[in-house]
Amino acid sequence: MKITNDTYTELLEYLGGIFDDGSRFVAYLEAYQQGTVSREDFENACNEIFTESKSILNGCNSQVINILLHLFKIAFGTDSSLYNGWMRDIVAKHRPPLMDDLNWDQGPQTSMINKVIAHLPISNARAIHRYKELAKLPEYSDLIDGVSRLPTECPFTLKQLLEDDVQVLVSRLRRN
């Protein structure tokens, strides 16, 4: 990515909401403006920060997909012996890294949270696709009846996925 003088403000706004108010980016920008780093080093740093932000966003979206998939399996599967494991995975395995990446407990990192929220419909569609693929496997045949009950739109907000009790989320799915 080539950085022109006109793109500094735009980059600062874009990256600023992602990483500690853009402190890394700001440090590189100030160093470049003061002439202590070359334009090439500055561009490389911007590319690195941009690539890292995309990686974190992809990780966040992956965790949302896993949370939704587990909720669908609990709500629409018939093998209740697996429910506790799926609930434990939501609470202990999928929510914590998502909350960490979003700095959920430190107040909203608006840019990243908004990107994940905007991606919820896509995450829902991917979770539905994964559920349907699992339902085709003999060891997950208990999921087949649930395929027709899967929600076409994401039934939860990001806040609900991260903060609501899993049983409440499952109950909401079963009612719809």
Side-chain angles (χ1 to χ4, degrees):
M1 154 171 58
K2 277 291 185 197
I3 309 299
T4 65
N5 291 334
D6 297 332
T7 60
Y8 291 139
T9 303
E10 184 180 330
L11 278 170
L12 183 59
E13 288 174 7
Y14 176 76
L15 297 171
I18 296 174
F19 296 104
D20 303 319
D21 297 324
S23 59
R24 277 180 52 203
F25 176 74
V26 171
Y28 282 116
L29 176 59
E30 288 173 350
Y32 173 70
Q33 289 175 329
Q34 294 169 3
T36 56
V37 297
S38 70
R39 182 178 192 89
E40 182 180 354
D41 287 343
F42 177 68
E43 289 175 2
N44 289 338
C46 289
N47 283 327
E48 179 184 320
I49 293 169
F50 180 74
T51 300
E52 187 177 338
S53 71
K54 283 176 53 176
S55 176
I56 290 173
L57 180 60
N58 288 339
C60 289
N61 291 328
S62 177
Q63 295 299 343
V64 169
I65 291 167
N66 286 325
I67 291 168
L68 287 168
L69 178 61
H70 282 5
L71 288 171
F72 295 161
K73 290 189 288 187
I74 296 166
F76 306 127
T78 56
D79 187 352
S80 61
S81 68
L82 301 172
Y83 293 0
N84 286 338
W86 290 330
M87 284 191 273
R88 187 175 45 253
D89 281 353
I90 290 171
V91 173
K93 185 177 174 184
H94 300 300
R95 278 181 174 172
L98 179 57
M99 293 172 89
D100 287 349
D101 283 343
L102 296 174
N103 294 320
W104 195 255
D105 60 342
Q106 298 173 7
Q109 298 293 316
T110 308
S111 180
M112 186 63 82
I113 290 173
N114 286 340
K115 289 177 187 334
V116 173
I117 290 169
H119 203 269
L120 278 176
I122 296 168
S123 296
N124 190 67
R126 289 185 177 154
I128 288 171
H129 175 76
R130 286 178 56 191
Y131 182 99
K132 288 177 179 178
E133 290 301 307
L134 283 176
K136 293 176 186 176
L137 300 174
E139 61 267 31
Y140 287 101
S141 61
D142 70 302
L143 301 179
I144 291 173
D145 292 339
V147 169
S148 64
R149 298 177 56 205
L150 292 167
T152 55
E153 295 181 22
C154 188
F156 308 111
T157 65
L158 181 60
K159 185 176 188 330
Q160 290 169 327
L161 287 174
L162 293 178
E163 295 180 357
D164 284 5
D165 183 82
V166 174
Q167 289 290 7
V168 171
L169 298 173
V170 169
S171 294
R172 195 173 300 140
L173 278 170
R174 287 180 176 157
R175 282 195 310 262
N176 293 334

